[in-house]
């Protein structure tokens, strides 16, 4: 094995690319049709297989403020969910818990809408917990398990080590770490930055 191959092997074993996840909304097929009058329309693919940014946008309104043109991600989900940052919580005037996607029990709601319609959500707003997507074979090669908590040393403009980063293992995942926009700004993250996974 030459130096380049060895370097690539080490990079793939210990490092992962990090992406910043800005505020966005996941919709059920029913809610998408209510808001837009049609199914979600793919605009461009995301790093996770089968996931995409939609052409559609919504506004999100809380007791104190609102955001316009919030991104919608597809495909449709079983439950409508709004993912924001802690800074966004102050703007909206709500207190959303830090959770993994899909864990919406006992979470606050907001109003989301378009020119066509609006929906008053009773729950579904979370601050996404920092996590790492990993396919099973990749997780096994790296010695990682589903729901394992690790540290993530971001090798960015302002190197930062994040703790309690949840490993999520699934056959449909591609290996990427996701942090929210507050965390990305704090460490000066830019596209293509890598992080060291510390078990």
């Amino acid at each position: 094995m030459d130096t380049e191959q060895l370097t690539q092997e080490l990079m793939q074993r210990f490092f992962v690319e990090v992406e910043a996840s800005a505020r966005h909304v996941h919709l059920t097929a029913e809610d998408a049709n209510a808001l837009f009058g049609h199914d979600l329309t793919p605009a461009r693919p995301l790093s996770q297989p089968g996931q995409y940014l939609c052409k559609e946008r919504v506004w999100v309104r809380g007791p104190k403020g609102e955001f316009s043109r919030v991104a919608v991600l597809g495909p449709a989900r079983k439950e409508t969910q709004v993912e924001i940052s802690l800074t966004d919580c102050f703007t909206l005037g709500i207190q959303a818990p830090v959770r993994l996607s899909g864990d919406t029990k006992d979470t606050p709601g907001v109003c989301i809408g378009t020119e066509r319609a609006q929906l008053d959500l009773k729950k579904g707003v979370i601050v996404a917990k920092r996590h790492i997507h990993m396919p099973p074979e990749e997780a096994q090669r790296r010695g990682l398990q589903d729901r394992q908590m690790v540290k993530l040393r971001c090798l960015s403009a302002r190197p930062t080590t994040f703790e309690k980063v949840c490993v999520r293992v699934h056959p449909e995942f591609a290996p990427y770490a996701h942090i929210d926009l507050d965390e990305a700004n704090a460490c000066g993250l830019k596209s293509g930055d890598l992080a060291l996974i510390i078990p």
Side-chain angles (χ1 to χ4, degrees):
M1 182 180 292
D2 61 29
T3 303
E4 185 175 340
Q5 288 176 316
L6 178 59
T7 300
Q8 185 67 20
E9 174 69 24
L10 290 173
M11 292 291 286
Q12 290 179 349
R13 179 161 186 176
F14 297 108
F15 294 85
V16 65
E17 186 172 336
V18 186
E19 295 181 322
S21 181
R23 74 180 72 99
H24 61 271
V25 174
H26 297 283
L27 297 170
T28 63
E30 181 181 4
D31 286 349
N33 273 282
L35 291 170
F36 310 116
H38 55 77
D39 294 336
L40 297 174
T41 311
R44 65 173 174 82
L46 301 175
S47 61
Q48 294 306 304
Q51 305 293 307
Y52 53 84
L53 174 69
C54 301
K55 293 181 179 179
E56 293 77 20
R57 294 289 186 274
V58 298
W59 50 256
V60 176
R61 181 180 300 147
K64 292 185 177 179
E66 71 176 74
F67 296 109
S68 61
R69 296 192 54 76
V70 176
V72 177
L73 304 186
R77 295 276 188 98
K78 293 181 179 179
E79 183 179 10
T80 291
Q81 176 178 291
V82 179
E83 296 187 31
I84 60 176
S85 70
L86 288 172
T87 299
D88 291 342
C89 287
F90 289 109
T91 300
L92 294 175
I94 61 174
Q95 292 184 336
V98 177
R99 299 275 184 86
L100 289 174
S101 182
D103 184 4
T104 60
K105 182 180 179 181
D106 299 324
T107 56
V110 287
C111 184
I112 63 175
T114 62
E115 292 182 356
R116 175 188 173 90
Q118 70 175 46
L119 301 172
D120 293 312
L121 303 181
K122 301 303 180 185
K123 65 171 186 172
V125 185
I126 66 167
V127 174
K129 182 178 181 64
R130 57 183 82 110
H131 58 277
I132 302 171
H133 292 277
M134 199 68 64
E137 65 279 4
E138 185 85 3
Q140 184 176 17
R141 188 167 62 83
R142 293 173 183 250
L144 301 172
Q145 297 180 349
D146 188 41
R147 301 288 173 149
Q148 180 179 348
M149 293 296 178
V150 298
K151 295 180 181 179
L152 195 66
R153 176 67 175 173
C154 288
L155 307 178
S156 49
R158 302 166 70 183
T160 304
T161 300
F162 293 106
E163 299 191 8
K164 296 183 179 179
V165 183
C166 186
V167 177
R168 302 181 62 195
V169 180
H170 193 279
E172 296 180 1
F173 286 164
Y176 284 88
H178 285 165
I179 59 178
D180 73 17
L181 210 53
D182 284 353
E183 295 163 331
N185 288 335
C187 69
L189 187 76
K190 67 178 186 301
S191 179
D193 280 347
L194 299 177
L196 175 65
I197 300 174
I198 306 172

